[in-house]
Amino acid sequence: MDDPVREVLAAYPQIYHACHIQHPRRRTNPASLSARESWILGHLHSRRPMRAGDLARHLSLRPSTVSEAVKRLERLGYLTRRRVEGDRRRLDLYLTPRGAEAMKAGSVLDPGRVGMLLRELPPGDRVAAVRGLGLLARAARALNAAHPKRWHSGGD
């Protein structure tokens, strides 16, 4: 790998192009998610907690915007809020199994094409590729926490 930055810049558009579908609209996707709501779900995990305020900062959204989305997503059963023992003011957000399915339905990437893409790889390479993407995502979270952007394009 001569230039890792160039490698990522070259690879990402190829993956995106191969798996991208039209941006889903709330009224046209089975989960009734807007692009922003799907984007929010994409930042939640079933076992790793996320606080709404941290999520708002990470996504460069107003806390009120995240709060309204969280209320709707919870009503739909896509996330759950849990009080933290010892700190009654703190609410942690978790992705539910139903939310994980909804996120797939509302993604700009077609899950079927992503599956086909992964099946193109031998099993060992598939594991390495998914692990590598996970590592890049973890680094992205750390980067955004340390150096938040002042703008974002995650609108509806």
Side-chain angles (χ1 to χ4, degrees):
M1 212 179 308
D2 295 333
D3 182 353
V5 171
R6 189 192 68 70
E7 294 288 332
V8 169
L9 293 176
Y12 176 80
Q14 293 174 52
I15 296 165
Y16 185 80
H17 180 71
C19 300
H20 180 260
I21 55 175
Q22 279 207 333
H23 291 264
R25 303 272 185 242
R26 180 182 286 176
R27 66 184 175 279
T28 61
N29 76 67
S32 297
L33 289 177
S34 68
R36 176 176 287 154
E37 291 166 338
S38 184
W39 185 48
I40 287 171
L41 288 179
H43 286 81
L44 299 180
H45 193 275
S46 62
R47 293 183 305 272
R48 191 174 52 241
M50 172 69 81
R51 294 176 70 185
D54 295 339
L55 183 61
R57 277 188 297 284
H58 174 73
L59 300 176
S60 299
L61 294 172
R62 289 185 183 91
S64 60
T65 301
V66 171
S67 178
E68 286 303 311
V70 163
K71 287 176 191 173
R72 182 177 186 297
L73 293 168
E74 185 178 37
R75 270 194 319 273
L76 291 169
Y78 297 157
L79 64 80
T80 187
R81 295 187 281 184
R82 295 186 203 145
R83 292 238 179 253
V84 175
E85 196 172 317
D87 185 352
R88 302 292 298 157
R89 297 167 298 166
R90 182 174 168 182
L91 282 172
D92 285 340
L93 307 176
Y94 294 89
L95 184 67
T96 65
R98 183 177 168 145
E101 288 303 313
M103 187 181 61
K104 283 184 192 175
S107 176
V108 297
L109 299 181
D110 178 348
R113 290 197 60 90
V114 171
M116 290 169 38
L117 177 75
L118 291 170
R119 285 189 295 277
E120 289 289 321
L121 298 171
D125 288 352
R126 185 178 317 140
V127 169
V130 171
R131 177 162 164 59
L133 284 172
L135 292 170
L136 284 173
R138 185 175 72 197
R141 289 190 300 274
L143 176 68
N144 282 336
H147 306 284
K149 292 189 280 185
R150 298 291 177 235
W151 55 270
H152 222 292
S153 60
D156 287 333

